[in-house]
Amino acid sequence: MFQVQNTLYFTSKEMKKLLSLSDCHLMHEREKGNLPFIKKGNQFLYEVDDETLVSKHELSAQVINWYQNKHEVELDNSPTEVASIKALALLLKEILIPINDKFGKITITYGFVSSKLNSYIQKNSRAGTYPSIDQHSSHELTSNNISICDRGGIACDFYVSGFESKMNVITNYIVSKLEFDKLYYYGSGRPIHISVSNAMQKHLQIMNESANGRRIPGKRAYGDEAISLAKELLT
């Protein structure tokens, strides 16, 4: 992927994988005007719309289908609100794809939570969940058309293969280099919680553990101060 003037572009190889197209079909779609692109030297770079990115990208599938590894329930967990789809596309473009490209395979441990999945979780395993503020439900609505989360945006928890005990390195990179809303850091050996929104706060929150195992807020910082706090995690 390439970032050009805040737009994420995919190479021909990446587009063929994303859309399951052959070289010939990719060329025909481009020539018919179905695939927006720019040319950089001899290379074609393609822009992907939000709906295609959310419906086709393997990381998006992880964010949506994460629950299948934790909950014995069959349901469609896809986002239904346009704002949720756009938020998920933003999460992919700003955080997940850049991290995956630089550091390697991402595993989503807690991802998007639709209205149906939220109802199931709140009924069967609600301990430790905070749907009204955690951003996992993005802009989705209850059956009564009430927003599940007051904050909007979208969040997921993840770790990176090879960095399972070094998530402080990933945290430092995100805070120093990427755009984000909130990042909750639970320790170098635990997944991080990351969110994006239309108003990125760049809020880093360190979460500590009490003697009885409860998670309690520690240091927090915003913007440039968050960068300094993230660097402390490396020492």
Side-chain angles (χ1 to χ4, degrees):
M1 267 73 72
F2 289 83
Q3 193 86 20
V4 180
Q5 295 181 344
N6 297 322
T7 299
L8 191 68
Y9 287 92
F10 289 75
T11 64
S12 294
K13 181 179 179 181
E14 291 164 341
M15 282 298 288
K16 287 188 294 180
K17 179 180 179 181
L18 184 69
L19 302 179
S20 300
L21 296 176
S22 65
D23 285 315
C24 185
H25 284 148
L26 181 64
M27 179 188 69
H28 288 317
E29 289 299 306
R30 182 178 70 242
E31 291 180 345
K32 287 190 293 185
N34 293 335
L35 298 175
F37 70 92
I38 62 173
K39 199 169 182 184
K40 187 176 182 181
N42 294 323
Q43 189 174 27
F44 291 101
L45 299 176
Y46 300 86
E47 185 178 354
V48 178
D49 64 84
D50 290 346
E51 289 189 6
T52 299
L53 190 62
V54 168
S55 64
K56 298 291 186 180
H57 202 282
E58 58 189 4
L59 285 171
S60 177
Q62 268 208 70
V63 175
I64 293 171
N65 297 322
W66 68 275
Y67 73 95
Q68 295 175 353
N69 295 321
K70 293 197 174 188
H71 300 287
E72 295 183 0
V73 59
E74 294 184 8
L75 50 78
D76 182 0
N77 191 47
S78 302
T80 59
E81 299 297 316
V82 172
S84 295
I85 294 171
K86 289 185 176 297
L88 178 48
L90 186 66
L91 179 66
L92 292 166
K93 290 184 281 189
E94 295 290 349
I95 302 293
L96 298 183
I97 292 175
I99 291 293
N100 188 78
D101 286 352
K102 184 170 181 63
F103 293 100
K105 181 183 176 183
I106 283 177
T107 296
I108 305 296
T109 59
Y110 203 102
F112 171 72
V113 178
S114 65
S115 179
K116 291 179 181 178
L117 182 57
N118 183 59
S119 295
Y120 174 85
I121 291 174
Q122 296 310 305
K123 181 179 179 180
N124 295 279
S125 59
R126 65 182 301 174
T129 65
Y130 304 93
S132 64
I133 62 172
D134 64 19
Q135 297 177 279
H136 283 290
S137 289
S138 194
H139 297 267
E140 298 299 290
L141 306 176
T142 68
S143 57
N144 295 323
N145 287 323
I146 299 172
S147 294
I148 297 171
C149 180
D150 298 330
R151 291 177 174 170
I154 194 169
C156 72
D157 296 21
F158 75 93
Y159 66 83
V160 180
S161 296
F163 289 83
E164 291 90 343
S165 62
K166 297 180 290 186
M167 289 304 290
N168 54 333
V169 174
I170 306 300
T171 296
N172 181 67
Y173 182 80
I174 291 173
V175 174
S176 301
K177 303 293 185 181
L178 304 180
E179 294 293 317
F180 69 99
D181 188 22
K182 297 178 180 294
L183 192 159
Y184 283 74
Y185 176 80
Y186 294 95
S188 60
R190 294 188 176 184
I192 58 176
H193 170 97
I194 187 73
S195 71
V196 297
S197 72
N198 292 330
M200 305 287 204
Q201 295 189 50
K202 294 190 175 182
H203 171 202
L204 172 59
Q205 176 69 63
I206 308 299
M207 298 298 290
N208 299 321
E209 189 171 310
S210 66
N212 60 4
R214 291 186 61 188
R215 295 172 179 173
I216 53 176
K219 292 181 179 180
R220 66 177 179 178
Y222 297 80
D224 290 342
E225 292 183 0
I227 294 175
S228 297
L229 179 57
K231 287 180 179 178
E232 291 181 16
L233 300 175
L234 300 176
T235 59

